[in-house]
Amino acid sequence: MDSVATPGRTLALVREKGLVPRKSRGQNFLVDANIVRKIARAAELGPGDTVVEIGPGLGALTQELAARAGLVIAIEIDRELFAALEETLAGRDNVRLVAGDALKVDFDRLVAGILGIGEGRLPTYKVVANLPYYITTPILIHLLTSRFRIAELVLMVQAEVGYRMLARPGGKDYGALSVVVQYYTEPAVVLKVPRTVFYPQPEVESLVLKLTCRTRPAVQVEDEDFFFRVVRAAFNQRRKTILNALVSLGVEKSEIMKALAGAGIDPRRRGETLGMEEFASISRTLQH
Ligand code: SAM
């Protein structure tokens, strides 16, 4: 089938299959072939690439990915979309449709199973998605903290969340999500996307980001769970000083004072001014 990424074809398909786009599942379908091409191009796909798409919807992005990559594995939660997908992806024999909730999928196991190889020999693969907005943060946490063999992710997200992922210390957008994303990846903006390229139109603008996974995390920590607990504690009470915010960890104030002094951090600073290395230094010291 020709590209489904036009308003006319998408509407016709939705009507023909009796579909009602579900807000609760973040169903905003791309109806602009130019944007679809730009997203796929950002992933720099070639015949040697395996790409996992989260939420193929009606297949707008899937069609373009299939034209460029060696293999596309598309995970869709909504079975009602499968009849439409079978039509838009007819003849694309390098696409595997998987019914399921991406939040619960072990991506490495899925890809290795489809490639028919052991997980230990799994080459890296890419993830590309126009993400359903309601799962943006949990899916990111799942993809990054599971340490799957992902080389890079090209993701369309709500602009506001995208700016949080990119934010540097000091700004209002900087928070725990910035630290998690930048700990595991190097994020960059690919393009801004207006609401008008979707059917139905969402309430907010979007941003396409490319996250290149680091071979080693941005800073060295002994215990990642504890590092992220420190980060979350610092941002949970943004108006407090770092000293008072870290008390919620259940550590003695005197210990926190010592850790801050060791890292050369003024205890009156706010968490949102601290860089990743400073968080790492605090967490290393507090653990001893
Ligand atoms: N890729 C299509 C496009 O760009 O037109 C559709 C994108 S739409 C924003 C998000 C898609 O993700 C929908 O098809 C929705 O049903 C699906 N989805 C929602 N939650 C999901 C989940 N937990 N796991 C897998 N797919 C999900």
Side-chain angles (χ1 to χ4, degrees):
M1 191 194 186
D2 290 343
S3 173
V4 68
T6 71
R9 283 185 201 276
T10 293
L11 266 177
L13 193 62
V14 163
R15 286 211 186 106
E16 184 195 317
K17 303 289 176 200
L19 298 168
V20 180
R22 295 199 210 186
K23 206 174 172 179
S24 62
R25 292 219 157 124
Q27 289 176 354
N28 303 99
F29 304 118
L30 270 168
V31 293
D32 185 321
N34 193 34
I35 298 286
V36 165
R37 270 194 299 274
K38 286 185 179 166
I39 297 173
R41 202 180 299 143
E44 298 177 86
L45 301 168
D49 280 308
T50 294
V51 51
V52 181
E53 185 191 6
I54 298 162
L58 300 174
L61 193 50
T62 328
Q63 289 179 325
E64 190 66 33
L65 298 174
R68 294 164 183 256
L71 175 67
V72 182
I73 300 169
I75 309 167
E76 174 58 62
I77 199 169
D78 189 346
R79 283 179 179 274
E80 285 183 18
L81 298 175
F82 274 61
L85 278 169
E86 269 153 30
E87 201 167 309
T88 56
L89 301 175
R92 317 256 177 185
D93 52 13
N94 61 339
V95 179
R96 303 287 176 277
L97 276 179
V98 177
D101 179 350
L103 283 170
K104 298 190 181 139
V105 171
D106 180 326
F107 278 56
D108 278 4
R109 188 174 305 163
L110 175 72
V111 177
I114 288 173
L115 289 176
I117 54 176
E119 272 182 63
R121 294 183 36 240
L122 186 62
T124 59
Y125 53 93
K126 298 177 179 179
V127 171
V128 180
N130 169 13
L131 284 180
Y133 293 154
Y134 78 106
I135 59 164
T136 306
T137 304
I139 194 74
L140 260 173
I141 302 291
H142 177 52
L143 293 173
L144 299 180
T145 61
S146 304
R147 294 188 175 277
F148 295 133
R149 302 264 307 144
I150 299 170
E152 61 180 54
L153 307 99
V154 176
L155 304 174
M156 169 117 73
V157 298
Q158 245 172 295
E160 175 221 326
V161 179
Y163 290 124
R164 280 167 43 207
M165 288 156 66
L166 293 160
R168 313 298 299 178
K172 68 168 174 39
D173 291 334
Y174 184 58
L177 186 65
S178 327
V179 179
V180 177
V181 167
Q182 293 167 36
Y183 176 81
Y184 290 107
T185 78
E186 286 182 79
V189 177
V190 174
L191 75 153
K192 282 187 200 169
V193 182
R195 300 181 311 145
T196 47
V197 303
F198 298 95
Y199 171 79
Q201 289 187 18
E203 276 139 35
V204 293
E205 309 292 306
S206 299
L207 208 55
V208 177
L209 298 184
K210 178 166 176 165
L211 312 182
T212 307
C213 295
R214 298 176 186 274
T215 41
R216 235 176 288 134
V219 292
Q220 257 201 314
V221 296
E222 282 163 31
D223 178 342
E224 281 181 1
D225 285 344
F226 186 68
F227 169 69
F228 287 120
R229 273 182 61 207
V230 169
V231 171
R232 278 196 301 272
F235 288 110
N236 262 345
Q237 295 150 306
R238 294 180 81 103
R239 304 187 65 80
K240 288 196 175 176
T241 63
I242 184 66
L243 174 62
N244 288 332
L246 293 184
V247 168
S248 69
L249 288 170
V251 183
E252 288 294 325
K253 221 169 185 169
S254 57
E255 292 297 313
I256 301 170
M257 284 290 273
K258 249 191 265 168
L260 292 174
I265 298 166
D266 184 332
R268 292 165 301 181
R269 278 172 64 186
R270 297 226 168 119
E272 66 203 36
T273 68
L274 268 61
M276 186 134 29
E277 186 48 62
E278 292 178 309
F279 283 122
S281 173
I282 296 171
S283 74
R284 280 193 300 259
T285 319
L286 280 184
Q287 283 212 295
H288 290 284

